[in-house]
Amino acid sequence: MIKEEVCNRPIGVFDSGVGGLTVAREIMRQLPNERIVYFGDTARVPYGSKSQETITKFSKQIVRFLQTQGVKAIVVACNSVSACALDELEKDVDIPIVDVVRPGAKTAIGATKNGRIGVIATEATVGSGIYSRYIKNNSPDATVLSKACPLLVPLVEEGLWEDPVTDEIAGRYLAGLIDVGIDTLILGCTHYPIIRSTIGRIMGDGVALVNPAYETARELKELLQEKGLESRHRPGLGTGTELYKFFVSDAADKFQMFANSILTYGILSAKVINIDEY
């Protein structure tokens, strides 16, 4: 049996910026006993337009930082990192790593009725072909249609969730997917669940939206149970153990404001660290 001290270690969660907070939010909901150490690379966002080499370099630095925090598992809450660097990261660490691509892709395969699955994501994720590859390997008859939506990330990060500009840009991106008759759409960037209502309104009731953030938390829960790593007790107030810690590479105040707008748990502070030291 795994020692309780190991089980009480936190989950490391990281993203290029704030989008991964949608994954952290699902972990908080589905695994309330688990502690979380979150890192958002707010100084170097976005990752979606960067090269695979750069994304891999940044990701390795973040994983090294999370390891200094004694994490028992790592959640890659960034589709671009999952697409470009996951294999390299898995070689470097001996603790479980959960990504956001595979859980969402599996759910989409189960959800589609006509076999036509759409994916919206960053340029890096779409360019990698990772969703298409995974879906086709597990459902050879499926048709996968992908669309890069690079402007949606900055719109979300600027807080323009219910804004005519976001409606206009999202409508332009999604028009082509509506025309080809998909019945399932993967929100292939962790920022996109924040504007899920906008995307759903544009796509219509006939298209099922898959939120990989929800599916990733569910997969993490199953993995921790399988390996006997789940925390058995929720840390109490005054125990000296913080339930959630947040770190960023820049703009802590802006991050904290954004985090408090989407998390029910109040963010008391977000600490800036020099990620280049790792």
Side-chain angles (χ1 to χ4, degrees):
M1 186 174 179
I2 305 292
K3 290 183 179 179
E4 187 167 353
E5 182 272 327
V6 175
C7 296
N8 289 339
R9 291 176 184 173
I11 306 295
V13 181
F14 78 93
D15 181 44
S16 59
V18 299
L21 289 168
T22 61
V23 180
R25 178 173 62 185
E26 289 297 338
I27 295 172
M28 293 173 185
R29 287 173 178 169
Q30 297 185 42
L31 294 87
N33 289 351
E34 298 296 342
R35 296 163 56 211
I36 295 173
V37 175
Y38 183 97
F39 178 81
D41 199 359
T42 47
R44 304 186 294 197
V45 67
Y47 280 13
S49 55
K50 292 179 170 62
S51 68
Q52 180 172 356
E53 181 180 18
T54 297
I55 292 172
T56 300
K57 174 189 171 184
F58 289 174
S59 303
K60 287 186 173 184
Q61 289 176 328
I62 295 167
V63 166
R64 285 194 286 270
F65 164 70
L66 290 175
Q67 288 180 297
T68 69
Q69 300 297 303
V71 298
K72 64 182 177 184
I74 291 174
V75 176
V76 180
C78 176
N79 282 267
S80 298
V81 174
S82 297
C84 298
L86 187 63
D87 290 344
E88 288 296 314
L89 296 181
E90 289 180 329
K91 291 177 188 175
D92 287 354
V93 300
D94 57 1
I95 58 176
I97 294 183
V98 177
D99 71 294
V100 287
V101 170
R102 287 174 288 197
K106 283 193 286 188
T107 300
I109 292 169
T112 185
K113 294 181 173 61
N114 68 4
R116 299 179 72 79
I117 299 170
V119 180
I120 53 173
T122 64
E123 293 170 299
T125 301
V126 170
S128 74
I130 189 167
Y131 273 105
S132 297
R133 204 159 50 246
Y134 185 90
I135 291 170
K136 296 291 283 184
N137 283 345
N138 290 275
S139 182
D141 295 333
T143 300
V144 183
L145 301 115
S146 302
K147 177 67 178 177
C149 306
L151 293 178
L152 293 185
V153 168
L155 288 170
V156 169
E157 298 214 347
E158 286 300 317
L160 301 174
W161 308 343
E162 300 287 345
D163 190 278
V165 174
T166 303
D167 288 356
E168 171 70 18
I169 297 299
R172 292 190 184 194
Y173 283 144
L174 296 169
L177 294 175
I178 295 172
D179 292 343
V180 295
I182 64 167
D183 73 346
T184 304
L185 178 64
I186 298 173
L187 307 182
C189 172
T190 50
H191 287 72
Y192 298 170
I194 297 171
I195 55 170
R196 178 178 181 146
S197 61
T198 297
I199 295 169
R201 186 172 64 252
I202 293 168
M203 296 305 299
D205 294 338
V207 177
L209 302 185
V210 175
N211 177 5
Y214 174 86
E215 306 302 337
T216 298
R218 192 170 69 169
E219 181 139 318
L220 172 65
K221 184 176 184 178
E222 292 174 358
L223 180 67
L224 294 179
Q225 290 173 343
E226 176 188 315
K227 295 187 175 294
L229 285 170
E230 72 272 27
S231 178
R232 289 140 202 166
H233 309 284
R234 184 178 175 88
L237 294 174
T239 61
T241 302
E242 287 183 79
L243 197 54
Y244 307 128
K245 291 182 180 179
F246 298 88
F247 297 88
V248 293
S249 50
D250 193 24
D253 289 346
K254 185 177 180 181
F255 174 89
Q256 186 174 330
M257 189 180 304
F258 188 99
N260 282 326
S261 70
I262 69 168
L263 298 178
T264 54
Y265 177 90
I267 305 305
L268 300 179
S269 65
K271 183 178 179 181
V272 176
I273 63 165
N274 182 1
I275 195 62
D276 285 320
E277 293 180 351
Y278 293 89

